[in-house]
Amino acid sequence: MKQNIVFDCDPGSDDSIAILETFAHPEALQVLGMTTVGGNGILANVTKNLQHLLWFLKQEIPIAPGQATPIIKNLQNATDIHGENGLAGPTFPAEADKYPLASNNGVTFLHQIISQSSTPITIVATAPLTNIALLLKVFPEDRENIQQIVIMGGSLSKGNVTPQAEFNFFVDPDAADIVLTSGLPIVLCGLDVTNNTGLSSEQIKTLEHRGPASQLAYEILTPYFQAEKGEGLKRAAIHDLATITYLLDPSIYQGEHYQLHVNSSWGELRGQVEINSTTEGSANVLVLKKVDIERASQLLLDSLALLDQKLS
């Protein structure tokens, strides 16, 4: 059954690969709209990166930039990993800059899509959760038409910005806490599984000259792999990809349900995901803990091959 989704992102190398996998499967995922938020790069850059990707994919998806900064603090981005423009590697022609924006307010844009949909919508969130938190606060009536929120963020083990915190949750822990404690059904794709959702150097090399989508993925993942090696990982951990891989085939993952909140203090635990020990409320968050690495990797490789056929 086809799932209707809205996609909130900050492309970003790993967001970009997740976007490629998404549009390889129109039979499974119907993208109703996409929004951007300041995260891996500044808002202007990640929005332009999304425009470039959708131009490349020959899509006509309505998109809108959202919040440039977190709810409270200033933006801390990740240009050391993703490049100064947020997407190191590929280049696009000037024509790609002309991909249209449907709105200049991502939060109201999301509200319009969700409130007008005749069926519940899945939100895919691969960036700091600023837009989604504001959506839930400003338009609480939209909760009734949200089927689930699939998030890349957090960790129950260790972080990648601090020993405790993952990047997206560290950037805007206040927003992350609002979303996780909303009571809505949530699937959390944290570092516990995303460090193993990606491709090895050898797999990345096979993408070169294989076709237009594979070539783009190769150009994105080659510098990204070099940056990720600094984290001691044996593969390019395409963190955001886990959200789409899960939607396409949940059986690739195993997880457990928890009631969670996010530490939004200004101390050393800022951004840490914490298990709520009280019995009040529901265990609304499915935390993915295990992944079949080979199946996840093969799904991406197959998806890129499908896109190569469509774009050739």
Side-chain angles (χ1 to χ4, degrees):
M1 181 178 178
K2 185 178 290 190
Q3 302 177 71
N4 289 330
I5 70 171
V6 291
F7 202 140
D8 186 63
C9 56
D10 60 343
S13 307
D14 48 345
D15 303 73
S16 300
I17 301 301
I19 290 168
L20 292 180
E21 184 168 276
T22 299
F23 287 102
H25 298 279
E27 79 290 345
L29 302 174
Q30 177 70 44
V31 183
L32 302 181
M34 304 182 75
T35 50
T36 55
V37 63
N40 286 326
I42 62 172
L43 182 65
N45 285 349
V46 298
T47 301
K48 181 173 289 188
N49 293 340
L50 179 59
Q51 291 173 289
H52 291 173
L53 289 164
L54 294 177
W55 173 88
F56 172 85
L57 290 166
K58 302 177 182 178
Q59 295 293 325
E60 296 182 358
I61 305 297
I63 66 173
Q67 298 298 299
T69 59
I71 291 175
I72 294 178
K73 64 190 286 286
N74 294 327
L75 176 65
Q76 175 178 328
N77 58 37
T79 54
D80 56 326
I81 297 293
H82 300 272
E84 284 302 316
N85 70 341
L87 185 57
T91 57
F92 297 87
E95 180 184 356
D97 291 343
K98 300 177 182 178
Y99 191 95
L101 300 177
S103 168
N104 62 2
N105 188 319
V107 176
T108 58
F109 174 75
L110 287 172
H111 163 63
Q112 290 168 359
I113 294 174
I114 293 170
S115 63
Q116 295 172 11
S117 176
S118 59
T119 57
I121 287 176
T122 289
I123 297 175
V124 177
T126 60
L129 290 168
T130 316
N131 288 340
I132 310 306
L134 290 174
L135 173 74
L136 297 179
K137 286 295 187 182
V138 178
F139 302 105
E141 65 273 20
D142 287 353
R143 294 164 54 96
E144 296 181 3
N145 218 21
I146 296 173
Q147 180 176 346
Q148 62 180 342
I149 308 176
V150 183
I151 298 168
M152 190 281 124
S155 170
L156 287 184
S157 51
K158 61 180 181 178
N160 60 358
V161 176
T162 70
Q164 296 81 22
E166 176 274 334
F167 174 78
N168 286 339
F169 281 19
F170 181 81
V171 168
D172 198 342
D174 302 282
D177 189 58
I178 289 170
V179 176
L180 261 61
T181 60
S182 67
L184 288 167
I186 290 171
V187 179
L188 192 64
C189 310
L191 297 179
D192 309 284
V193 293
T194 65
N195 278 336
N196 290 318
T197 302
L199 299 179
S200 67
S201 176
E202 292 73 20
Q203 288 172 316
I204 293 170
K205 289 176 183 176
T206 67
L207 299 175
E208 188 177 17
H209 306 310
R210 195 177 76 159
S214 293
Q215 179 65 29
L216 178 61
Y218 171 80
E219 293 174 7
I220 292 170
L221 290 174
T222 298
Y224 180 68
F225 179 77
Q226 292 303 315
E228 285 281 282
K229 281 177 67 178
E231 302 294 326
L233 301 175
K234 296 180 180 180
R235 62 182 67 230
I238 312 172
H239 303 284
D240 296 333
L241 180 65
T243 58
I244 299 303
T245 302
Y246 172 82
L247 285 178
L248 292 172
D249 189 351
S251 70
I252 289 176
Y253 296 91
Q254 298 177 37
E256 297 181 28
H257 284 87
Y258 294 93
Q259 186 181 5
L260 301 175
H261 67 95
V262 180
N263 191 312
S264 57
S265 71
W266 292 92
E268 62 180 14
L269 299 182
R270 184 172 178 83
Q272 182 179 43
V273 177
E274 299 173 348
I275 298 173
N276 193 337
S277 58
T278 70
T279 57
E280 297 180 5
S282 62
N284 63 305
V285 184
L286 172 61
V287 178
L288 302 186
K289 289 189 168 184
K290 294 182 180 180
V291 56
D292 187 323
I293 300 172
E294 298 307 319
R295 288 175 62 198
S297 299
Q298 193 59 51
L299 179 55
L300 173 58
L301 295 172
D302 292 344
S303 298
L304 292 172
L306 285 172
L307 276 181
D308 286 339
Q309 295 174 10
K310 294 177 182 180
L311 296 173
S312 297

